[in-house]
Structures are given as C-alpha cells and as structure tokens.
Amino acid sequence: MQKSKLPLKKLYTFVSHFLKRVGPNKQTKNKGRPQKYEDALIITLWLFQILNNYSYRETLEKAKNEGFNAPSLCDYHYRVKQLDDELLKSILEECAKLLLEDKQTLCYIADATGFGFGDKYNNKNC
C-alpha cells in the first residue's frame, strides 16, 4: 500500500493497537489539566502529516473532514513537541515485528538519503 493511500482511520487503528500492546503512557502527570486528546490520536495525526507531507493546518483539516475530533492548532503543535522518544521507538519496534512476521521478508531497509530511485544528481568530488 502506498503511503499516500493509507487512510487516516486505518492508521489510527494501527497506532491504537500498538499503544495497547506497548503499555500505559508514562507521560501522564498528576498535576495540571487532564489531556483532552489521547496519545493515539496525536501520534496518528503526526504520522499522517509526515507520510503525506502536510502542514499542521492541512493535517487538522483532513482529520476534521474525516470525522475526527481534532485538537486546535496550538494544542496539536504542543503535543507533537512533547511526544516521548521512547514511546515512538517502541511503536517503531512493534511495527517492525509486525512487518517481519512474513517469513519471506528478511528485512526492510529505510533509505533516508533524499535521492529517489532513478533521480540524477551531480557527484562532486573535491
């Protein structure tokens, strides 16, 4: 499935499933106002934003159009900046386990060089 074809509702289901398997949120604090939006929604919106290369505003607009109770721009931006690195790493590990359950696949390689397949670029040796 192409990343741009991944529906927001399906992504939300995956993230909710992974968060249940990982365990309770360690970020919850006893002080202050309780969080109105769950971590699963914030992480889902953030992943959807990254996968589709949307801005914060576009992401929230798409979420509202699909029937999600989306946070305000300020709340969403703040919660994304507060995401726990360990939580995101554990979600990534769970995704890897799910993807590697297929016995035919030995590994997945994530290429983050910025060059697409078949793109031409100048190689300047000094």
Side-chain angles (χ1 to χ4, degrees), residues 7-87:
L8 187 58
K9 290 182 181 180
K10 189 172 222 174
L11 188 61
Y12 179 73
T13 306
F14 287 150
V15 170
S16 298
H17 174 72
F18 291 140
L19 286 178
K20 286 178 186 171
R21 287 183 64 188
V22 168
N25 183 10
K26 298 172 186 166
Q27 285 182 265
T28 354
K29 298 177 183 176
N30 293 334
K31 294 182 179 181
R33 185 182 297 175
Q35 293 179 348
K36 185 175 179 181
Y37 304 100
E38 60 185 342
D39 286 337
L41 177 65
I42 301 298
I43 293 171
T44 300
L45 293 175
W46 182 66
L47 290 173
F48 188 73
Q49 176 182 349
I50 291 172
L51 287 174
N52 294 298
N53 200 21
Y54 287 150
S55 68
Y56 284 98
R57 291 180 194 271
E58 289 173 323
T59 304
L60 294 174
E61 182 181 333
K62 296 285 184 182
K64 287 178 184 175
N65 288 342
E66 292 196 25
F68 283 92
N69 184 17
S72 68
L73 179 64
C74 181
D75 289 342
Y76 173 58
H77 185 267
Y78 176 77
R79 289 287 302 277
V80 166
K81 296 299 178 194
Q82 298 299 320
L83 287 176
D84 184 28
D85 290 338
E86 294 300 320
L87 178 67

Side-chain angles (χ1 to χ4, degrees), residues 108-124:
Y108 285 92
I109 299 174
D111 179 22
T113 59
F115 301 111
F117 179 77
D119 285 349
K120 296 180 181 178
Y121 58 95
N122 294 331
N123 187 6
K124 297 180 182 178

